[in-house]
Amino acid sequence: MSRILITSALPYAAGAKHLGNLAGSMLPADVYARFQRARGRETLYICATDEHGTPAELAAVEAGLPVAEFCALAHDKLHAMGRGFGMSWDHFGRSSSPQNRKLTQSFAQQLWEAGFIEERVTQQVYSLADKRFLPDRYVIGTCPHCGYEAARGDQCENCTRVLDPADLLHPRSALSGSTEIEIRDSKHLFLRQSLFADRLREGIEAKRGTWPNLVTSIALKWLDEGLQDRGITRDLQWGVPVNAADWGPNPDGQKPDVAGLEGKVFYVWFDAPIEYIGATWEWADAQAAAEGRAPKDEDWERWWRQPGAADVTYVEFMGKDNVPFHTVGFPCTLMGINERRDGAGRWTPSSNTPWKLVDDLKGFNWLDYYGGRFSTSQKRGVFMDQALELLPADYWRWWLIANAPESSDSTFAWEQFRDQVNADLADVLGNFVNRICKFAESRFEGKVPVGGEWGDLETKLQADVSAKLAELTAHMEAREFRKSATTLRQIWVLGNQYLTEAAPWTAFKTDPVRAGVSVRVGLNLVALFARLSAPFIPATAKVIAEALGEAEVGGWPTGEGDLLTTLEPGRAIRAPDVLFRKVEDTQVAEWRERFGGAETA
C-alpha cells in the first residue's frame, strides 16, 4: 500500500493569515490527509513557517523586535491558529531550523560542484537613504509587464510574474519610501535553471490531465517565455548563510569566491521548499526524542530518498502564486542533485541517493473578499484569528472546502456564507442528527431499536448511499474538493429524504416495530455521516460519534457489505447538543460593518 506524503505551502512568519491562505493550501491538504488516514494509509502531513527573507525582516522592524525573536513568536501563533482550525499536521516546523540550514547548505554545495550554480556580478538596488542594498521585497514599484503599481521586487502579485528588483519601474524603498536609489554591482550565486528547461517541459507535459490545468498552464507559460537562471543569494543578514568555504571545485575546476560571498544568505525561495524535507527531519528527531532513542537518518529519508521512498506518493498543495517555484525552482534543485549533465548535454544519474520529486500538485486560485483582495491595511476581510472568535472552526472549514477556488477564483461574502452554512450544516446535517437521536431517546429509551426487518425503502436507501459513497471516494482520491463537498451533502440529503418517507414518528403510533427499523437505520446513517464528514468537519464528527457511544470516529467505509447496520441493536445513545446554530442576519450586519462588505469593495 502506497504511503502518502503531503505538504502545504509554508505560511510566511510575517503578517496575519486570511481565509484565502487557509483555503488555498493548508485546509485542503488537511482534508486530504484526514481522508487518507481514515482509509488506513500511512500518511505524513508536513508544514512549517517560512521565516527567512524580506517579509520577516520588515515585520520584525515594524514590531520593534529582533527578527529571530519575532519569528519564534510568529511560529507559535501560526501553530496555535492552525490547530484551532483543526490542522492535523504531523509536524509544523520552522525554516530557520538547524536541519533546514544543514540541508540548504549541503544542496547548494552539491549543485555548485555539479556545475549547476555559478557566480555572477549583478546589478542590485542600493538605497542612499537607507545606506544598504535593497533585495527582493525591500523594493516596491510598477510591474513592467502589467503596470501594477505595488509590485514587489521578487514577484508581481497581480500577474504572478517573477521579477528582480532592478526590473521594476519607478522603484522605491520599502523601508523608507525613498526614491533616492541607484544600481550597484554585487556578486551573487545563480541556479542555472535554463539547463533544465527541456527536462522540466517533458515532466510537466507528462502531467497534463493529471495535474490541474491551472498548474500545468502556469508552469508551461514560464517555459514558453524562456526559463531564466535565478539568483539564489541575497544581501541580507537573516537567512541561511552561504558558507561556501568548504565547497569543492566545480567541473571547470573553480572554487567559489568566498570573500565575494561573505555576509550573504540564500534566497528565501531557495531554502523554503527545502524545508519540506527539513521539517520531516525535524519530525523524525522529535519522534526519536519522544521514544527515548537516538535519531536515525533513515527515519526521515524513507519519505524522501530512494529506494526507501519507492512506495511514497508525494502530494503538494498551494495557491497559484506558489506554483512557479514548485514546478520549476525546487525541481531544478532536486534534479541537479539527482543527475549530472556532461559537456554534450547528456544526462545521467549522479552517485547521490536520489531525492523524490512531487508526484501530484494541487494548485488553487484566489479566494477574494466581495470580489476584491483581503487587505490588513484597508481592514477588508476576516483573518484566521478573527474567524475563530466569531464561530467554531467547522463552520469555516465546511464553507471554504465547499467553495474551494479550484477551477476559478472564489468570492467570500457574508450573505452567502450565512445561507450556505445555515442550509447545509444546520438544516440538513444538524437537524437530521438531532431529530433522530432525540426521537430515539424519547421513544426507544435512548437505545438503538431491536427487531424488525428492512423493507424496500431501506434496500433502496442502501443502494443509493453506496453509489454516492463510491462517487465521494473517487472525488476525494482525485482531490476534487468542491465536488466532494457537494456529494457529501447529497448523502446527508438522502438521509433526510428517507426519514421524511419512513416517518417513524407517525409509524410509532400504529406500528412501533416498523418505526424501530426506521430509527435504527436513521441512527446508522448518523454513524455513517460522522465517518464521512470527519475529514471536513472533524470536531463535529467526533461529537456525533461520542453521542453514539464511540470514543473515536471510525475509518472511511469501504462500501463493502451493509453500510447501515454497523450499530448493534440495544446500544445506548444520546442526543448531542445542537451541532450548528444558525448565523443570524444581525450577525451578518455586524460582521460586514466590522470587516468590510460590498460597499467597500
Side-chain angles (χ1 to χ4, degrees):
M1 181 180 292
S2 176
R3 289 180 288 140
I4 310 295
L5 172 62
I6 299 170
T7 63
S8 56
L10 310 185
Y12 277 128
K17 304 301 162 221
H18 56 70
L19 294 181
N21 300 126
L22 189 64
S25 60
M26 291 185 286
L27 179 56
D30 181 71
V31 172
Y32 187 66
R34 288 177 178 274
F35 165 71
Q36 292 294 352
R37 294 189 193 106
R39 300 210 77 185
R41 292 172 177 155
E42 186 178 357
T43 301
L44 187 67
Y45 176 22
I46 294 293
C47 194
T49 37
D50 182 358
E51 300 185 8
H52 293 140
T54 309
E57 284 199 357
L58 290 176
V61 169
E62 185 176 344
L65 293 172
V67 64
E69 180 180 346
F70 172 86
C71 287
L73 293 172
H75 169 82
D76 291 345
K77 181 178 180 180
L78 286 168
H79 191 193
M81 279 196 296
R83 292 301 190 193
F85 274 98
M87 296 300 105
S88 61
W89 298 309
D90 290 284
H91 186 73
F92 187 69
R94 302 181 61 184
S95 67
S96 62
S97 69
Q99 291 90 338
N100 194 46
R101 173 180 290 212
K102 183 175 180 179
L103 281 170
T104 299
Q105 292 173 338
S106 173
F107 282 12
Q109 179 176 354
Q110 292 177 70
L111 290 168
W112 170 269
E113 293 172 358
F116 295 124
I117 289 179
E118 66 181 16
E119 295 174 323
R120 296 181 187 177
V121 175
T122 64
Q123 292 186 320
Q124 298 290 314
V125 177
Y126 186 87
S127 170
L128 299 174
D130 301 308
K131 295 183 174 59
R132 60 172 294 171
F133 283 104
L134 298 178
D136 301 322
R137 300 190 178 197
Y138 280 67
V139 189
I140 300 173
T142 300
C143 175
H145 302 288
C146 70
Y148 181 57
E149 295 182 351
R152 304 188 308 259
D154 64 340
Q155 185 180 28
C156 175
E157 291 184 345
N158 186 56
C159 70
T160 74
R161 293 284 191 96
V162 173
L163 304 170
D164 283 315
D167 295 335
L168 294 173
L169 305 176
H170 314 299
R172 61 189 182 276
S173 168
L175 290 172
S176 62
S178 173
T179 58
E180 293 185 89
I181 57 180
E182 63 184 29
I183 305 300
R184 293 186 180 181
D185 289 343
S186 180
K187 179 170 284 189
H188 285 280
L189 298 176
F190 276 70
L191 179 62
R192 302 174 67 190
Q193 294 183 153
S194 57
L195 297 177
F196 298 89
D198 291 341
R199 292 183 67 77
L200 286 169
R201 183 180 295 275
E202 179 184 345
I204 293 165
E205 290 283 4
K207 296 296 184 179
R208 282 185 183 270
T210 303
W211 289 3
N213 182 61
L214 171 71
V215 173
T216 54
S217 62
I218 289 175
L220 291 172
K221 179 184 176 184
W222 267 40
L223 295 171
D224 291 342
E225 292 171 351
L227 188 59
Q228 302 297 310
D229 297 340
R230 186 65 173 157
I232 60 167
T233 52
R234 293 294 186 267
D235 292 294
L236 291 170
Q237 295 180 340
W238 175 244
V240 177
V242 171
N243 192 27
D246 296 330
W247 293 6
N250 64 17
D252 294 327
Q254 298 174 330
K255 295 197 67 173
D257 177 9
V258 176
L261 297 172
E262 186 177 356
K264 299 184 190 297
V265 301
F266 286 105
Y267 178 36
V268 62
W269 272 114
F270 182 72
D271 83 79
I274 296 171
E275 168 59 10
Y276 294 141
I277 306 174
T280 309
W281 188 354
E282 296 170 46
W283 162 79
D285 284 356
Q287 291 287 107
E291 296 168 8
R293 59 176 177 83
K296 299 180 294 184
D297 286 345
E298 53 263 37
D299 291 341
W300 58 273
E301 288 186 347
R302 65 187 289 265
W303 289 95
W304 285 100
R305 303 191 80 171
Q306 306 295 1
D311 65 333
V312 172
T313 298
Y314 175 27
V315 187
E316 292 181 343
F317 292 80
M318 67 195 62
K320 61 185 176 183
D321 56 331
N322 288 334
V323 166
F325 300 103
H326 292 79
T327 55
V328 175
F330 191 35
C332 285
T333 296
L334 296 181
M335 289 167 61
I337 297 170
N338 290 347
E339 302 188 63
R340 291 292 180 267
R341 187 175 188 269
D342 64 22
R346 294 185 295 260
W347 292 87
T348 58
S350 75
S351 60
N352 294 308
T353 302
W355 297 90
K356 184 169 185 57
L357 276 72
V358 63
D359 293 299
D360 293 296
L361 197 159
K362 178 70 174 184
F364 291 85
N365 289 279
W366 303 128
L367 174 68
D368 293 329
Y369 184 82
Y370 283 95
R373 301 298 298 275
F374 285 80
S375 172
T376 306
S377 60
Q378 298 177 26
K379 297 182 179 179
R380 278 183 39 76
V382 61
F383 288 71
M384 285 176 62
D385 52 347
Q386 299 165 328
L388 291 177
E389 296 172 3
L390 305 180
L391 293 167
D394 281 355
Y395 286 75
W396 304 106
R397 287 179 64 105
W398 175 253
W399 190 91
L400 292 171
I401 286 295
N403 296 275
E406 292 175 305
S407 59
S408 63
D409 292 348
S410 298
T411 293
F412 179 91
W414 288 110
E415 296 80 4
Q416 182 198 15
F417 175 78
R418 172 200 60 205
D419 294 346
Q420 192 164 3
V421 299
N422 285 354
D424 294 355
L425 299 181
D427 290 342
V428 180
L429 175 62
N431 183 56
F432 177 88
V433 172
N434 285 107
R435 184 167 49 154
I436 193 66
C437 288
K438 285 186 176 180
F439 189 71
E441 279 189 333
S442 64
R443 294 292 186 267
F444 293 92
E445 300 179 342
K447 296 179 180 179
V448 177
V450 178
E453 300 295 331
W454 279 16
D456 292 342
L457 193 60
E458 288 73 32
T459 301
K460 180 180 184 302
L461 172 67
Q462 173 147 289
D464 291 343
V465 169
S466 181
K468 281 297 176 183
L469 170 61
E471 184 180 323
L472 172 59
T473 303
H475 289 324
M476 290 291 280
E477 286 287 5
R479 297 170 295 280
E480 296 285 351
F481 294 103
R482 291 181 77 143
K483 291 179 180 178
S484 296
T486 297
T487 305
L488 177 57
R489 186 187 188 278
Q490 290 169 346
I491 295 175
W492 295 344
V493 168
L494 286 175
N496 282 272
Q497 291 173 342
Y498 169 75
L499 282 190
T500 298
E501 292 186 61
W505 25 85
T506 301
F508 185 81
K509 299 174 185 177
T510 58
D511 190 348
V513 174
R514 175 62 197 162
V517 171
S518 302
V519 171
R520 185 168 67 248
V521 169
L523 292 172
N524 274 279
L525 281 169
V526 171
L528 178 66
F529 290 176
R531 295 163 71 186
L532 300 183
S533 303
F536 302 84
I537 46 175
T540 303
K542 192 171 190 305
V543 169
I544 296 173
E546 290 172 346
L548 299 177
E550 300 285 351
E552 298 292 339
V553 179
W556 193 264
T558 63
E560 299 174 358
D562 291 337
L563 293 170
L564 304 179
T565 58
T566 58
L567 297 180
E568 65 274 18
R571 170 189 288 214
I573 64 99
R574 60 175 176 77
D577 293 334
V578 174
L579 297 177
F580 295 98
R581 299 191 181 279
K582 289 194 173 184
V583 177
E584 303 293 340
D585 292 346
T586 54
Q587 292 174 298
V588 168
E590 175 190 340
W591 295 339
R592 273 187 52 163
E593 181 177 357
R594 176 180 172 185
F595 299 107
E599 70 280 356
T600 62

